[in-house]
């Protein structure tokens, strides 16, 4: 799913207000700010960097949220999301995705510290004019805060900007406020993964259930130095390509996510942890399972099972591992 046309046009309009060269420079500053190991400070400092975020990062965070929402709905046919709460909403990326997925949305609350980002998010959203109330709350999530219950609570690429101890406390509050699901997404780096692993243990200790990606509630079986992450392909608009000074029409966004639920789920037997290797006569999968990490080979001779497995991709779940 690519950015809705009205959103792409709204981003193009924002970008047209400034010189291309300046956005490229701001985009480079943003990249280096995000790459700094200890980013616990505002990463976006000025209006050029906000525009650069729209052009170069929003399509990628949008795609990571799409991927995660797909995982959230694929095994939850009865799930109804009528309200959304976003912690560190930025330009309202999650709401744009939610508008595509949850047609019965009745309200959204977007919490964001940066008032200029709020104004930018409001300008973008004015092109879509959701038919329900959208409340922007200017607040600093580092400070004590409380929120009303919402069906879906999301923190997408924002918790890494908070003090880790604070992020843990806040996400417990967020879980308590989530009637249906809490979704957390962070960059697919060792650091992003390790931070979410801590959150995972913390919330599981507080009676949360995990829907995905782990096919079990046990300790993560990955060894130190290894990290779980997923990837989604992001189409680049011509503006995006120019700003990234790249010729490819796409990029791959790597991320890690957790989906928590108030109720226990029937978990699948495995999750595919890397791109399956497709050889001439067999397929090879690296799987996370309740008994640890497993390498599984499915030979062409296995007929129906092979045909079924051939369509599976990195990040997919496997209901039943047939051997
Ligand atoms: C990387 S952006 C992610 C934006 C959006 N969630 C997305 O996925 O595209 C992080 C956002 O979190 C906001 N943020 C960071 N620290 C915050 C805090 N302490 N309180 C409120 N918002 C915060 C930033 O201002 C920024 O807009």
């Amino acid at each position: 799913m690519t950015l809705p046309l009205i959103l792409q046009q709204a981003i193009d309009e924002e970008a047209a207000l400034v010189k291309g060269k300046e956005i490229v420079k701001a985009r480079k500053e943003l990249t280096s700010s995000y790459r700094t190991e200890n980013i616990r400070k505002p990463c976006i400092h000025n209006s050029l960097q906000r525009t650069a975020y729209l052009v170069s990062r929003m399509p990628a965070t949008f795609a990571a949220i799409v991927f995660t929402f797909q995982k959230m709905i694929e095994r939850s046919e009865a799930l109804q999301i009528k309200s959304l709460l976003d912690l560190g909403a930025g330009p309202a990326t999650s709401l744009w995705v939610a508008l595509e997925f949850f047609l019965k949305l009745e309200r959204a609350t977007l919490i964001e510290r940066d008032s200029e980002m709020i104004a930018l998010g409001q300008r973008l959203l004015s092109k879509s004019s959701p038919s329900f109330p959208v409340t922007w709350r200017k607040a600093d999530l580092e400070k004590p805060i409380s929120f009303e219950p919402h069906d879906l609570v999301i923190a997408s690429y924002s918790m890494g900007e908070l003090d880790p101890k604070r992020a843990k406390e806040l996400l417990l509050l967020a879980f308590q406020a989530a009637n249906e699901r809490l979704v957390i997404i962070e960059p697919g780096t060792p650091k992003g993964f390790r931070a979410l692993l801590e959150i995972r243990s913390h919330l599981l200790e507080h009676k949360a259930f995990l829907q995905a990606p782990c096919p079990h509630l046990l300790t993560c079986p990955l060894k130190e130095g290894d990290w779980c992450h997923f990837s989604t392909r992001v189409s680049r608009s011509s503006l995006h390509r120019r700003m990234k000074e790249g010729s490819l029409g796409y990029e791959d966004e790597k991320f890690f996510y957790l989906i928590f639920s108030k109720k226990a789920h029937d978990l699948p037997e495995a999750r595919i942890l890397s791109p399956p290797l497709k050889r001439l006569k067999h397929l090879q999968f690296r799987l996370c399972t309740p008994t640890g990490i497993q390498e599984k080979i499915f030979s062409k001779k296995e007929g129906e099972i092979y045909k079924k497995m051939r369509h599976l991709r990195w990040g997919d779940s496997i209901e039943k591992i047939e051997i």
Side-chain angles (χ1 to χ4, degrees), residues 91-276:
T93 321
S94 76
L95 179 54
W96 280 96
V97 182
L99 288 170
E100 302 287 310
F101 275 79
F102 309 117
L103 303 180
K104 297 200 168 139
L105 260 188
E106 290 173 357
R107 67 192 170 99
T109 308
L110 309 175
I111 302 185
E112 172 54 53
R113 166 175 66 184
D114 176 0
S115 42
E116 295 293 316
M117 186 60 102
I118 295 179
L120 182 52
Q122 287 172 331
R123 282 203 297 282
L124 297 184
L125 265 185
S126 70
K127 309 290 173 176
S128 159
S129 322
S131 56
F132 50 82
V134 175
T135 308
W136 285 88
R137 251 178 94 182
K138 177 174 159 37
D140 184 350
L141 294 165
E142 294 276 10
K143 306 221 168 103
I145 191 165
S146 59
F147 357 89
E148 297 283 305
H150 287 69
D151 292 342
L152 172 60
V153 182
I154 181 167
S156 157
Y157 291 83
S158 55
M159 289 300 110
E161 296 186 25
L162 265 55
D163 169 69
K165 197 162 156 270
R166 174 62 187 150
K168 250 176 156 177
E169 287 168 7
L170 187 71
L171 288 168
L172 182 56
L173 283 182
F175 174 68
Q176 285 157 353
N179 297 330
E180 292 289 350
R181 298 289 190 278
L182 166 66
V183 167
I184 314 165
I185 307 176
E186 279 295 308
T189 56
K191 182 172 174 262
F193 169 64
R194 291 285 153 199
L196 287 200
L197 215 48
E198 285 229 2
I199 305 284
R200 179 184 184 274
S201 314
H202 184 60
L203 291 190
L204 290 182
E205 278 163 19
H206 285 84
K207 298 195 169 64
F209 293 98
L210 201 51
Q211 181 189 351
C214 319
H216 55 79
L217 306 182
L218 308 166
T219 305
C220 175
L222 285 175
K223 299 220 165 70
E224 197 65 41
D226 201 354
W227 75 100
C228 182
H229 62 293
F230 304 98
S231 178
T232 185
R233 188 144 285 190
V234 184
S235 306
R236 284 174 167 166
S237 66
S238 56
L239 172 68
H240 190 173
R241 264 202 307 271
R242 278 201 313 282
M243 294 309 129
K244 287 253 172 122
E245 297 173 316
S247 53
L248 281 180
Y250 65 87
E251 63 189 28
D252 290 322
E253 173 67 9
K254 306 275 170 41
F255 61 96
F256 183 62
Y257 73 91
L258 291 172
I259 305 173
F260 291 99
S261 165
K262 286 268 162 69
K263 290 179 235 128
H265 281 260
D266 284 335
L267 294 173
E269 282 195 359
R271 175 83 49 193
I272 302 173
L273 289 192
S274 55

Side-chain angles (χ1 to χ4, degrees), residues 296-308:
K296 285 260 173 218
I297 291 184
F298 296 89
S299 147
K300 226 174 191 169
K301 289 187 193 141
E302 287 171 85
E304 282 309 307
I305 300 177
Y306 173 88
K307 275 192 202 151
K308 226 160 67 187

